[in-house]
Amino acid sequence: MSALIIFGLLMMLMLTGMPISIALGLTVLTFLFTMTSVPIEAVALKLFTGIEKFEIMAIPFFILAGNFLTHGGVAKRMIVFASSMVGHWHGGLGLAGVLACALFAAVSGSSPATVVAIGAILLPAMIKAGFPKSFGAGVITTSGALGILIPPSIVMVMYAVATNTSVGALFMAGVIPGFLLAMFLGLTTWYRARKNNYPRQPKASVATRIKAFRDSMWGLLLIVVVMGGIYSGIFTPTEAAAMSAVYAFVVAVFVYKDMGLKDVPKVLLNSASMSAMLLYIITNAVMFSFIMTNEQIPQTLAEWMLAQGLGPIIFLLAVNVLLLLAGNFMEPSSITLIFAPILFPMAIKLGIDPIHFGILMVVNMEVGMCHPPVGLNLYVASGITKMGITELTIAVWPWLLTMLGFLVLVTYVPELSLWLPRVMGML
Amino acid sequence: ADPIVIKFSHVVAPDTPKGKAAEKFKTLAEEKTKGAVKIEVYPNSTLYKDKEEMEALQMGAVQMLAPSLAKFGPLGVKEFEVFDLPYLFRNYDDLHKVTQGDIGAGLMTKLETKGVKGLAYWDNGFKVMSANKPLKTPDDYKGLKMRIQSSKVLEAEMRALGANPQVMPFSETYQALQTGVVDGTENPPSNLFTQKMHEVQKNATVTNHGYLGYAVIANKDFWEKLPEDVRTGLDEALKESTDFANQIAKEENDKALEAVKASGKTEVYTPTEDEIKAMQKALAPVHTEMADRIGKDVIESVYKATGFDPSK
Amino acid sequence: MKWLDHLEEIFITALIGVATLIIFIAVVHRYASGLPLGAFQDFLLSIHMSWAQELCIILFVWMAKFGAAYGVRQGIHVGVDVLVNRLNADNRRRMTTVALSAGILFTGIVAILGARMVWENGLAYVALNALGMDTGSHYEGPTTPDLEWPTWIVYMAVPLGSSLMSFRFMQVLANFWRTGDLPHHDHGHVEGLDEVEPFPIVEQKP
Ligand code: NA
Ligand code: NA
């Protein structure tokens, strides 16, 4: 009963268009004022302590690093490199876009940021090269989603925080699914480009490729800093995020020199503002899940579901449908933070691996980012291409279908996610 | 009438000694008060985390907790840090002379000025040192990155050994040891084993250099407003669950140490008397260093109660 | 109000910058002090960095609270606008007013709750003591474990940040009534990328 009231209220408030964080917060307050004996001061306390966790601090650091990379010319050099490698195949710059997104995803933790970094440079170039606008928009919108699947990933940090799983193991679990999805998206691009005979790049010489690689190497090295740093035990994930921010700053300002020292405060401010927005959602979502726990809602739901005799297969199907529905209205951080604490106890009771569950949630979030009415990647792409959302929606369909197929694969083949962290001894 | 609901929150798993003792207390309390109270146990930080539970208790947002004794220093009762002093208690007998005697009761009274009612001491156990190399003499600790929980005393302890103390939440420790962010740590065997830390540490030494324990506490106003008969019932339940807690803590720690040995993943070393002496000598300065902080009188009263001679 | 805008911006910029620097230094220190460098190692080991994580967390929480206020005037807080976008102009105006008022209300309530928490958590004790009054049932609050700062000072981020945020929502609402405009954050816009030189690979097109 209280679950229905809580969710009904939340839904109503969200539909007024107020920020999701405020809607979450007001739901909690209303509930506290009217229906529980939890002292109201606990709310203010949770608003501070809700994010008082070192793991969460990876988020601002990764955002900062991402901003330095975007402004510092790293994305541009990755595109040139990707294009020199695969630009001559069917799909040309489109295929290069998929590869560049995958490379950038390996240094950035956010999907919209990946769309911006790669799309803002590549999309105008694709149009100039003679690709239909919709093709380019479709490729980049969906490939940009790799940003949260290929580590590092802000959404994985949020899942880890919401469910107390290991950030490091989640990152490692995302590697193989990330590669696979990039390959599937590339295949879709290749197939459509071949069918429509889209333009290709001339084959780059070996010398050109080597030069492009060397130019982009400073950016690519960040993969070593983050993943290598975590797995060799030099850093904790949060420290790795901080180091990558410092590294990205050095590369942008002193190595590539695409950015001057005078631009640094602006990047800091923008990153702080973006991080604050996410941290604000986290705080309110933490309060929301605290209320749910206090009312024993996840526990009750889990018991109810077990009593129905639901097996893992049906449960995972239901989870995917539920999350895809949620993806219609909300962005990934909020979905993860609201739903993970509720679904997680059920998944555990059914014997589903927490890491596998996290990866399937992330892939599901990727799909949600690419379709309307609410899809951050779509908005970003629309901002870059000046295309309408409806037009873009049609443009992304072929890749979105690929992603849905991939979601089924990841959901029902846990080994895709679990094999690598297991051989690395992280499970 | 509806039963009085007592929310009892703690931060460890239900199958740890403390988790089991909390469940035991729930059963006993509900039985002895004939259903006048209902205890809701929230394990694993589901309600409040390590960092906020104390404030939540002070506000009355939760009624009972069982935090580790190290949590009372930040609360403003630094005398409790005496329990972290290395080699202060030689064994459980020494320890129980303090926790179950006048000193323990006196310390609990000090909590009342903070709005906290101290009810009972629950043991976890004595700590072992672990790392990826044999730890026999104090020199072996030189430059090692040793994970500790937030505590000025433990920090001083590691520094006295020449190690580099790294404050880190318990939840991050396994990963940090596994990857090598930190080299070693100190734990009672049950924590070492249940957190699987022994799988990522090559060596452990049964130094028994320090003690880890908990205090069961309640919100003072809440506790004092309980009906007399209910409180009597709860006191009885506490007494029995304390015996239970201490007994299983000891059992589990012994079992865990055997299990670590049996696993073959960590070489467990029992130091000789001379080696213990050397450790005691290296760590003795911590007692004096921390005297101003903890209070000379508290430390000396403990010396007296246990017959500990700091000059030896 | 320009001075407040600037102060807010400088404050959160500094917070994220300093936090990054601190963690960088702490990591470097951890490794440097593990190297067998004799007296230099002893010197490094004598430097205490165990407060770094705690300080980083505090800086970021302050950044989050004040950055959220800054975000209001940047229009960065995402909401669900599916329904609102389908309404006619008049209803949309009403709905937006409701949404912004909700922002004022929530952040206002949090500011008050936060102030009460800070008061109960140790400010009352300090204030009453300073005034030589009876502290009654107010006790001295806890400190943070590593830095040993009184937590009531640290928790001030909640009432201060939330008050500022409530004020920012009021400003946005007033401006919306006056001009009909809302601050809008364009997630697709990247500063500086508009001026990038033409993409080199296009020229190789056959
Ligand atoms: Na990524
Ligand atoms: Na969507």
Side-chain angles (χ1 to χ4, degrees):
Chain A
M1 189 56 209
S2 39
L4 280 182
I5 297 175
I6 292 176
F7 272 99
L9 186 62
L10 177 64
M11 196 82 120
M12 220 179 68
L13 290 174
M14 284 204 306
L15 285 178
T16 67
M18 70 179 68
I20 291 177
S21 43
I22 302 285
L24 282 165
L26 274 177
T27 306
V28 172
L29 282 189
T30 314
F31 194 76
L32 279 180
F33 273 128
T34 57
M35 299 181 68
T36 71
S37 56
V38 176
I40 200 82
E41 281 79 9
V43 173
L45 179 65
K46 284 271 173 193
L47 278 178
F48 191 97
T49 57
I51 46 173
E52 200 184 6
K53 207 170 180 191
F54 195 57
E55 286 103 317
I56 297 182
M57 303 312 154
I59 293 169
F61 285 138
F62 277 133
I63 288 176
L64 182 59
N67 276 340
F68 276 123
L69 296 174
T70 309
H71 292 266
V74 171
K76 193 170 68 191
R77 288 169 178 83
M78 281 181 175
I79 294 170
V80 175
F81 170 58
S83 160
S84 78
M85 296 306 288
V86 298
H88 58 289
W89 290 340
H90 288 288
L93 286 181
L95 209 51
V98 177
L99 182 58
C101 280
L103 289 175
F104 196 77
V107 295
S108 146
S110 144
S111 285
T114 307
V115 177
V116 170
I118 303 298
I121 302 168
L122 193 64
L123 282 175
M126 284 180 76
I127 293 161
K128 245 187 235 167
F131 285 93
K133 220 178 187 181
S134 63
F135 183 81
V139 174
I140 303 299
T141 306
T142 48
S143 304
L146 290 169
I148 57 169
L149 181 59
I150 297 179
S153 159
I154 289 169
V155 176
M156 285 183 196
V157 174
M158 292 192 171
Y159 175 85
V161 165
T163 62
N164 261 326
T165 40
S166 142
V167 178
L170 273 168
F171 277 9
M172 200 36 103
V175 171
I176 289 180
F179 269 121
L180 273 181
L181 181 56
M183 224 170 67
F184 287 144
L185 292 174
L187 273 174
T188 312
T189 309
W190 178 86
Y191 173 78
R192 299 237 318 146
R194 204 178 71 138
K195 211 173 83 183
N196 295 314
N197 201 20
Y198 288 143
R200 296 157 68 172
Q201 300 291 123
K203 189 169 175 175
S205 66
V206 174
T208 311
R209 284 178 178 176
I210 291 175
K211 183 177 181 308
F213 175 74
R214 282 183 29 197
D215 283 348
S216 63
M217 200 178 63
W218 287 104
L220 294 172
L221 263 180
L222 195 56
I223 303 174
V224 181
V225 173
V226 177
M227 294 306 281
I230 295 175
Y231 294 102
S232 62
I234 301 174
F235 318 126
T236 66
T238 304
E239 287 170 352
M243 298 311 270
S244 79
V246 173
Y247 178 87
F249 157 76
V250 172
V251 169
V253 175
F254 299 110
V255 180
Y256 287 159
K257 300 193 178 98
D258 281 22
M259 229 181 90
L261 270 175
K262 63 175 190 338
D263 304 318
V264 172
K266 185 106 197 138
V267 171
L268 286 173
L269 180 62
N270 286 338
S271 311
S273 153
M274 179 60 71
S275 316
M277 186 266 285
L278 290 174
L279 291 174
Y280 202 70
I281 296 179
I282 298 181
T283 358
N284 289 293
V286 165
M287 259 191 349
F288 184 76
S289 80
F290 161 71
I291 288 295
M292 304 284 282
T293 312
N294 200 57
E295 298 303 308
Q296 305 237 337
I297 290 169
Q299 299 90 321
T300 316
L301 274 177
E303 274 156 31
W304 174 83
M305 202 200 49
L306 280 188
Q308 307 300 304
L310 238 63
I313 293 182
I314 304 290
F315 170 72
L316 288 179
L317 181 70
V319 165
N320 274 318
V321 172
L322 178 72
L323 294 177
L324 286 173
L325 285 175
N328 281 306
F329 306 102
M330 287 150 69
E331 40 72 53
S333 320
S334 314
I335 299 179
T336 308
L337 291 164
I338 293 172
F339 286 98
I342 299 172
L343 298 173
F344 189 74
M346 304 194 223
I348 297 304
K349 285 215 162 148
L350 287 172
I352 296 161
D353 189 280
I355 300 292
H356 169 225
F357 196 66
I359 298 298
L360 94 83
M361 268 192 88
V362 168
V363 175
N364 197 304
M365 297 299 102
E366 292 189 282
V367 177
M369 298 178 107
C370 303
H371 71 70
V374 173
L376 271 183
N377 284 12
L378 218 52
Y379 290 171
V380 173
S382 147
I384 298 169
T385 57
K386 312 284 177 252
M387 282 167 77
I389 294 294
T390 321
E391 202 185 342
L392 260 175
T393 308
I394 300 165
V396 297
W397 260 114
W399 292 274
L400 201 57
L401 274 180
T402 309
M403 283 171 90
L404 276 170
F406 181 71
L407 175 60
V408 176
L409 194 68
V410 163
T411 303
Y412 292 109
V413 188
E415 277 306 293
L416 284 183
S417 321
L418 297 178
W419 181 77
L420 192 58
R422 185 176 301 129
V423 273
M424 306 282 295
M426 312 202 66
L427 291 183
Chain B
D2 282 345
I4 303 166
V5 173
I6 298 180
K7 287 184 194 285
F8 186 160
S9 166
H10 65 80
V11 300
V12 299
D15 59 353
T16 56
K18 180 161 83 175
K20 285 180 190 166
E23 284 299 330
K24 182 80 175 177
F25 170 69
K26 171 188 163 71
T27 317
L28 286 170
E30 290 177 353
E31 197 179 288
K32 289 187 189 288
T33 60
K34 302 189 181 62
V37 296
K38 181 169 176 273
I39 313 270
E40 290 176 3
V41 179
Y42 293 86
N44 275 331
S45 309
T46 38
L47 212 47
Y48 295 101
K49 294 182 303 173
D50 217 16
K51 281 190 177 167
E52 62 193 9
E53 58 175 15
M54 204 63 99
E55 278 98 333
L57 184 89
Q58 287 183 317
M59 285 175 197
V62 61
Q63 287 75 42
M64 286 182 78
L65 304 172
S68 93
L69 296 171
K71 287 281 170 303
F72 296 112
L75 190 68
V77 191
K78 298 213 169 44
E79 291 88 340
F80 272 88
E81 295 179 356
V82 77
F83 290 105
D84 276 335
L85 284 179
Y87 287 117
L88 180 59
F89 309 102
R90 285 160 300 191
N91 49 43
Y92 283 103
D93 285 342
D94 272 8
L95 176 77
H96 291 157
K97 275 180 198 150
V98 173
T99 55
Q100 294 174 8
D102 293 340
I103 302 174
L107 287 174
M108 289 296 208
T109 324
K110 292 200 160 65
L111 295 175
E112 297 196 5
T113 57
K114 310 290 173 188
V116 172
K117 176 83 188 170
L119 300 170
Y121 292 91
W122 284 0
D123 289 341
N124 184 321
F126 288 94
K127 291 181 275 195
V128 302
M129 292 280 196
S130 65
N132 287 315
K133 63 181 242 193
L135 300 169
K136 292 184 178 174
T137 67
D139 288 342
D140 295 332
Y141 293 86
K142 177 84 179 177
L144 282 188
K145 294 167 288 183
M146 296 294 284
R147 179 268 165 183
I148 53 167
Q149 64 167 330
S150 274
S151 152
K152 300 291 169 199
V153 179
L154 297 181
E155 212 180 308
E157 165 198 295
M158 288 302 177
R159 286 187 190 288
L161 292 171
N164 187 1
Q166 299 290 317
V167 173
M168 186 174 279
F170 190 56
S171 57
E172 279 182 50
T173 308
Y174 173 83
Q175 194 89 50
L177 288 169
Q178 195 244 350
T179 54
V181 170
V182 291
D183 301 310
T185 186
E186 51 154 45
N187 266 315
S190 71
N191 284 1
L192 186 77
F193 182 69
T194 52
Q195 294 292 311
K196 296 188 185 155
M197 290 179 201
H198 69 290
E199 293 182 2
V200 290
Q201 295 273 267
K202 290 196 182 76
N203 299 81
T205 304
V206 190
T207 46
N208 288 333
H209 64 283
Y211 167 75
L212 180 69
Y214 312 102
V216 183
I217 56 173
N219 176 286
K220 181 167 168 272
D221 291 340
F222 172 82
W223 194 261
E224 284 171 355
K225 285 195 184 108
L226 286 173
E228 191 62 48
D229 55 328
V230 169
R231 227 178 333 162
T232 315
L234 291 175
D235 280 335
E236 275 175 42
L238 269 168
K239 204 160 180 321
E240 283 181 40
S241 43
T242 299
D243 291 341
F244 174 82
N246 292 352
Q247 190 197 332
I248 56 164
K250 181 155 186 350
E251 280 170 17
E252 302 260 337
N253 273 311
D254 292 347
K255 257 197 313 204
L257 192 59
E258 288 313 309
V260 171
K261 284 179 189 163
S263 76
K265 293 192 168 145
T266 300
E267 193 170 326
V268 179
Y269 178 72
T270 309
T272 65
E273 215 151 290
D274 284 348
E275 283 163 349
I276 293 274
K277 280 248 163 66
M279 284 291 281
Q280 281 171 333
K281 190 159 168 255
L283 289 167
V286 178
H287 290 214
T288 31
E289 195 184 324
M290 291 287 128
D292 283 345
R293 206 183 143 80
I294 299 171
K296 238 186 162 78
D297 45 333
V298 182
I299 300 181
E300 268 161 17
S301 67
V302 174
Y303 287 167
K304 214 165 159 191
T306 61
F308 179 89
D309 184 354
S311 59
K312 273 203 269 179
Chain C
M1 282 293 132
K2 273 269 175 276
W3 64 271
L4 183 63
D5 293 2
H6 280 303
L7 194 65
E8 187 184 51
E9 288 166 17
I10 293 170
F11 188 51
I12 58 179
T13 304
L15 287 173
I16 194 171
V18 172
T20 313
L21 213 61
I22 285 173
I23 295 305
F24 177 74
I25 293 170
V27 172
V28 172
H29 171 261
R30 182 171 72 222
Y31 284 96
S33 57
L35 303 172
L37 298 172
F40 188 60
Q41 182 184 20
D42 292 336
F43 165 72
L44 286 174
L45 281 171
S46 73
I47 301 174
H48 299 201
M49 290 295 293
S50 55
W51 44 268
Q53 282 201 6
E54 190 174 283
L55 183 58
C56 167
I57 292 172
I58 294 173
L59 294 175
F60 271 155
V61 177
W62 279 73
M63 180 201 77
K65 300 303 169 199
F66 285 83
Y70 171 77
V72 173
R73 68 182 164 100
Q74 299 292 308
I76 206 172
H77 294 278
V78 284
V80 177
D81 52 5
V82 206
L83 181 68
V84 185
N85 288 342
R86 293 180 186 210
L87 299 175
N88 63 35
D90 274 353
N91 281 333
R92 190 188 298 190
R93 204 178 148 79
R94 281 189 200 110
M95 201 64 123
T96 305
T97 304
V98 169
L100 288 173
S101 307
I104 298 172
L105 180 72
F106 175 71
T107 49
I109 294 176
V110 167
I112 294 166
L113 292 177
R116 277 174 46 180
M117 169 185 70
V118 168
W119 177 255
E120 292 294 324
N121 196 49
L123 176 58
Y125 182 88
V126 173
L128 295 173
N129 243 349
L131 295 171
M133 289 159 73
D134 179 28
T135 52
S137 66
H138 301 290
Y139 37 78
E140 191 179 7
T143 62
T144 65
D146 297 317
L147 291 162
E148 305 198 300
W149 291 351
T151 52
W152 66 266
I153 294 179
V154 175
Y155 291 168
M156 287 280 258
V158 175
L160 293 180
S162 214
S163 305
L164 183 60
M165 199 168 171
S166 195
F167 174 67
R168 292 301 186 195
F169 270 120
M170 288 179 206
Q171 279 184 320
V172 170
L173 182 61
N175 194 51
F176 175 65
W177 277 344
R178 220 176 29 241
T179 64
D181 290 336
L182 285 173
H184 178 70
H185 180 81
D186 185 356
H187 287 269
H189 173 75
V190 186
E191 206 134 341
L193 281 188
D194 299 337
E195 308 103 62
V196 294
E197 65 270 35
F199 190 61
I201 285 190
V202 178
E203 287 143 32
Q204 299 174 11
K205 195 181 60 161

